Amino acid sequence: MAYIKNLFDRNFLEYASYVIKDRAIPDLEDGLKPVQRRILHSLFEMDDGKYHKVATVSGHCAKYHPHGEQSINPALVVLANKDLFIDKQGNFGNIFTGDDAAAPRYIECRLTPLAKEVFYNPKLTVWADSYDGRNREPVLFPAKIPVILAMGVEGIAVGMSTKILPHNILEILEAEIACLTGKKIELYPDFPTGGYVDVSEYDGGNGKVLVRAKLDTSDPKRILITELPFGSTTESIINSIDTAARNGRIKILGINDFTTDKVEIEIKLARGVYAQETIDALYAFSECEQSISVNLLVIKNGLPAVMTVNEIIKYHAKQLVKILTRELELEKKELLDKLHLRTLERIFIEERIYKAIEKMKTAKGVFDAVLSGFKPFAKEIGTRKVTDDDIEHLLRIPIRRISLYDINKARDEMLAINARIKEINAHLKNITAYSVAYLKNIIAKIKANEEIGRGARKTVVGEFDKVIAKEVVKRDVDLKYDIKSGYLGTNVGGSKIAEVSPYDRILAIRKNGMYSVLDLSEKAFIGAEAWFIGAADKDLLAKTIFTIVYKEPESGYPCIKRCVIEGWIINKDYFLVPDGSEVLHLDIRPKFSFTVHYTPKPRLKVLSETFKAQDYNVRGLKAGGIRLAAKEADRVECK
């Protein structure tokens, strides 16, 4: 048994780790899930500037992704609809209506210039074997911007989940520039569907946001929805409005969807209902307003980590500096290698060193002759040694190239290389300024070509109060009470006692002093004798003083209790007076007089007394009443 338990524990941990790191949670460094990374890698390998069938891309990607094309195709469509790194052609679905994309064989895609700018650098990319060992795939792309914030992502793993909202690509780059220049960072979500967002509780990506649709109420008899809240489609928002209308929350005549590449949902209002008075009901009872909880969980250095938006910007600002430094150093090294070879080629050809090898009969003799020929030019060659590889390169130069060698052209090339090395050294000394210039260059490219990115902000950031449904809904439901049967509800045959809303709870106080709070229902039994029935509104009840005049159980002496009902558990019975007492009167007026009539008895001269309720203090619900007289009470008359 212990062996089986250990086996299950080990397998579960391996499975959980795999789902978290290799399926559901994106990596901080390049902001991609593994399937997205493999799709982009496939597109880099296939890139020839032309569009490729999505089916072809999926087939190519299957070499790297072990879960097949059924998982690759939807991931590619989602990635393409981000409008950042994949240029699409054909029907990729509609993010507004929720319509699916066409079959992969009918749609095409290719990389955008932004993808090549941000991700592609094979010389700096770390590679690993694919799942079957036949190919090599990137472990992570050296991404130059915080892709994870630009795209947004949602994923559910074992024991954890992530929900990161998309942000505007231009604002992300501006935030990186602000971070590099020591300025304040301020970054909020931006959604492709537009609408409004309240970020007062965003908490750096780990709180929540309130999103709303954009409504056009210029016509008082109709409402147009022109932009959707994030997470909704035209179909889901229409269904939510239809449901609210059927439940009597909103009064409409009809709803029409004219959405194409822009959202246009028309809501025709019922007679006597106007647009301005319907807005709050739409926010309260439909998807026109939603609260979205967010959790910025990423894989950082191989482990799950919860971060904030500002922390991600700072991390990527440092990463950008490191990547650009490595690129410059790599380019410098390659230029120095090229300069070294060009110098050797020039000396080898101009000084006719190749003539010295004509009489040599062995390979060693040839190598030694070339090395000897370079000794007089050691100062020009510099500190770098002439290696066997260098000599091998020189010996492979064809005779035609030697005969057509252009000395001036070679020197111009070497001057250009030296100038570029000098420029690289200047960039390395001022790497922060170079990084800022790099980001500004990307911003300029995006603004010049809207197809590269989403461009200007679509979602308006503001602050608005959440509409509470029970405050918006009208109290137009008839609450009835049948005294004979003791039933209370909306579907009983008794008399109407109040108008309530579907969200109201009902407070019922019976003649024995017991009270309870009930959910509004069609029919509920409370008994044939009730002193008070009304809406259990906590704000209203907190200001309502209940005055109860009752008879003590054994002596029958009259007592008064004044209290406020502030809290309760639904469907639980409570007593305002001691068990067995008889309630003579219940009142909710703050000031009134009442007369207690006593039971006639021998030697009892005073048969009634009048009291003022306001003369007695308000006490707690569990406190006992105050005795009014040491005489048996018969009845109470109220003025």
Side-chain angles (χ1 to χ4, degrees):
M1 290 298 293
Y3 170 76
I4 295 175
K5 182 181 183 301
N6 291 335
L7 181 65
F8 270 96
D9 288 347
R10 185 175 68 253
N11 289 347
F12 176 76
L13 287 174
E14 290 176 358
Y15 165 74
S17 176
Y18 174 74
V19 172
I20 292 168
K21 293 178 62 178
D22 296 323
R23 293 291 297 272
I25 311 300
D27 198 284
L28 172 62
E29 187 163 329
D30 61 8
L32 301 173
K33 294 181 181 181
V35 65
Q36 296 172 326
R37 190 176 300 115
R38 288 162 181 157
I39 289 168
L40 289 175
H41 172 56
S42 297
L43 285 169
F44 282 129
E45 287 191 324
M46 300 170 68
D47 184 44
D48 58 2
K50 299 178 181 179
Y51 286 100
H52 303 278
K53 291 285 187 182
V54 167
T56 305
V57 178
S58 296
H60 189 280
C61 185
K63 296 193 301 183
Y64 306 106
H65 194 61
H67 304 289
E69 295 180 23
Q70 292 301 315
S71 61
I72 297 171
N73 289 327
L76 195 154
V77 169
V78 170
L79 188 59
N81 282 328
K82 301 291 184 181
D83 291 329
L84 288 170
F85 307 119
I86 295 181
D87 183 11
K88 56 193 180 183
Q89 182 170 271
N91 178 15
F92 274 74
N94 191 319
I95 62 171
F96 301 128
T97 63
D99 292 339
D100 293 331
R105 61 185 178 275
Y106 297 126
I107 53 180
E108 299 176 325
C109 66
R110 64 182 177 184
L111 291 168
T112 64
L114 182 64
K116 300 172 187 177
E117 184 80 43
V118 169
F119 294 114
Y120 191 68
N121 194 328
K123 295 176 182 177
L124 297 184
T125 302
V126 179
W127 301 88
D129 289 336
S130 61
Y131 72 95
D132 60 2
R134 291 189 178 94
N135 300 282
R136 302 280 285 172
E137 63 175 324
V139 177
L140 293 169
F141 283 120
K144 297 186 180 75
I145 66 172
V147 173
I148 202 166
L149 295 179
M151 293 204 306
V153 67
E154 187 172 355
I156 300 174
V158 179
M160 60 185 67
S161 65
T162 185
K163 189 174 181 68
I164 304 169
L165 299 180
H167 297 70
N168 184 273
I169 183 69
L170 294 178
E171 293 179 3
I172 290 172
L173 298 175
E174 293 289 356
E176 271 203 276
I177 292 173
C179 180
L180 289 169
T181 54
K183 296 178 182 177
K184 183 180 178 182
I185 303 172
E186 194 173 75
L187 189 62
Y188 298 120
D190 182 30
F191 309 123
T193 54
Y196 298 92
V197 61
D198 182 344
V199 295
S200 56
E201 297 181 68
Y202 187 46
D203 193 22
N206 292 294
K208 62 180 181 179
V209 296
L210 205 59
V211 294
R212 279 183 177 177
K214 185 177 181 181
L215 307 180
D216 181 353
T217 57
S218 56
D219 186 338
K221 291 303 295 175
R222 72 169 187 168
I223 296 174
L224 286 178
I225 300 175
T226 57
E227 293 180 9
L228 299 177
F230 180 68
S232 294
T233 63
T234 55
E235 183 179 358
S236 67
I237 212 164
I238 288 172
N239 288 339
S240 69
I241 294 171
D242 279 338
T243 301
R246 285 196 302 271
N247 293 335
R249 309 287 193 265
I250 305 170
K251 294 181 179 180
I252 64 174
L253 284 179
I255 184 166
N256 300 306
D257 186 7
F258 302 112
T259 301
T260 52
D261 58 335
K262 293 183 179 180
V263 175
E264 186 177 349
I265 300 173
E266 179 190 49
I267 304 170
K268 294 181 179 179
L269 302 178
R271 181 176 297 178
V273 179
Y274 297 94
Q276 286 299 327
E277 63 190 43
T278 309
I279 292 175
D280 284 347
L282 280 175
Y283 288 147
F285 301 115
S286 75
E287 287 188 7
C288 287
E289 176 180 287
Q290 295 185 76
S291 179
I292 301 175
S293 297
V294 289
N295 180 37
L296 214 164
L297 177 73
V298 299
I299 301 298
K300 180 182 180 183
N301 299 325
L303 296 173
V306 176
M307 301 182 70
T308 65
V309 170
N310 285 8
E311 286 172 348
I312 288 178
I313 292 293
K314 291 174 183 177
Y315 177 90
H316 271 276
K318 292 179 181 178
Q319 178 167 296
L320 174 65
V321 171
K322 290 179 183 177
I323 292 173
L324 293 179
T325 300
R326 289 171 61 196
E327 284 186 346
L328 290 171
E329 289 174 345
L330 179 61
E331 184 185 358
K332 180 181 176 181
K333 179 181 179 303
E334 290 175 345
L335 287 172
L336 288 171
D337 290 343
K338 188 175 181 180
L339 182 63
H340 177 67
L341 284 177
R342 292 293 179 271
T343 302
L344 295 181
E345 288 175 359
R346 187 190 63 79
I347 296 172
F348 184 73
I349 296 171
E350 283 185 30
E351 304 299 331
R352 300 180 180 272
I353 294 176
Y354 59 86
K355 290 286 186 180
I357 67 175
E358 292 177 350
K359 298 178 181 180
M360 300 300 165
K361 296 182 179 180
T362 63
K364 186 177 183 305
V366 170
F367 272 68
D368 290 343
V370 173
L371 278 175
S372 298
F374 278 115
K375 284 182 180 178
F377 306 99
K379 186 176 181 182
E380 187 175 348
I381 294 171
T383 57
R384 190 162 177 172
K385 293 182 179 180
V386 180
T387 65
D388 290 349
D389 290 338
D390 294 336
I391 295 174
E392 191 69 36
H393 169 75
L394 294 172
L395 294 175
R396 288 177 180 170
I397 298 176
I399 297 296
R400 179 176 297 179
R401 186 178 166 195
I402 292 175
S403 61
L404 298 177
Y405 189 72
D406 189 331
I407 296 174
N408 292 328
K409 184 179 178 181
R411 288 180 176 173
D412 289 343
E413 184 182 359
M414 292 168 67
L415 287 172
I417 291 173
N418 280 313
R420 178 57 185 163
I421 291 173
K422 185 177 180 181
E423 187 180 358
I424 289 173
N425 289 332
H427 290 329
L428 288 170
K429 288 180 181 179
N430 300 280
I431 190 62
T432 300
Y434 177 72
S435 300
V436 170
Y438 174 84
L439 292 172
K440 288 181 177 179
N441 182 50
I442 295 181
I443 291 173
K445 289 180 180 179
I446 292 174
K447 288 181 177 179
N449 183 4
E450 286 293 333
E451 292 180 0
I452 295 179
R454 287 203 298 268
R457 165 170 281 276
K458 293 186 177 181
T459 304
V460 178
V461 177
E463 189 170 339
F464 38 84
D465 296 328
K466 182 174 174 62
V467 178
I468 301 173
K470 67 178 183 180
E471 293 180 356
V472 174
V473 69
K474 294 180 179 180
R475 285 190 163 92
D476 54 2
V477 179
D478 291 341
L479 179 65
K480 298 178 181 179
Y481 175 51
D482 189 346
I483 297 176
K484 293 181 180 179
S485 64
Y487 281 100
L488 173 73
T490 60
N491 191 24
V492 297
S495 58
K496 173 182 171 181
I497 58 172
E499 287 189 343
V500 294
S501 78
Y503 292 93
D504 280 337
R505 287 168 173 168
I506 309 303
L507 172 65
I509 303 178
R510 300 162 180 84
K511 286 211 171 184
N512 61 357
M514 184 174 70
Y515 76 91
S516 56
V517 176
L518 316 166
D519 284 317
L520 182 64
S521 63
E522 292 186 356
K523 194 174 184 180
F525 182 76
I526 64 167
E529 296 180 341
W531 272 109
F532 175 87
I533 298 172
D537 187 320
K538 287 189 176 182
D539 294 333
L540 182 61
L541 290 179
K543 303 173 185 177
T544 303
I545 299 173
F546 288 88
T547 302
I548 308 102
V549 181
Y550 65 93
K551 291 168 61 173
E552 290 182 342
E554 296 180 1
S555 64
Y557 295 161
C559 296
I560 184 172
K561 179 178 178 180
R562 304 186 78 211
C563 61
V564 174
I565 299 175
E566 293 180 313
W568 54 79
I569 297 174
I570 299 298
N571 297 324
K572 182 176 179 179
D573 294 331
Y574 299 89
F575 280 93
L576 290 171
V577 297
D579 191 15
S581 301
E582 179 185 347
V583 177
L584 300 174
H585 182 72
L586 185 144
D587 212 302
I588 59 172
R589 291 176 293 173
K591 295 181 180 181
F592 67 95
S593 298
F594 62 93
T595 300
V596 178
H597 295 272
Y598 303 116
T599 303
K601 289 187 177 182
R603 299 181 184 178
L604 184 62
K605 295 180 180 179
V606 179
L607 295 178
S608 65
E609 285 184 89
T610 300
F611 302 90
K612 293 182 179 179
Q614 59 269 23
D615 291 342
Y616 299 89
N617 292 331
V618 177
R619 310 179 77 179
L621 276 171
K622 294 183 179 180
I626 300 171
R627 183 177 292 174
L628 295 172
K631 304 170 186 178
E632 185 178 349
D634 179 49
R635 59 190 172 84
V636 170
E637 284 186 358
C638 200
K639 296 180 181 179

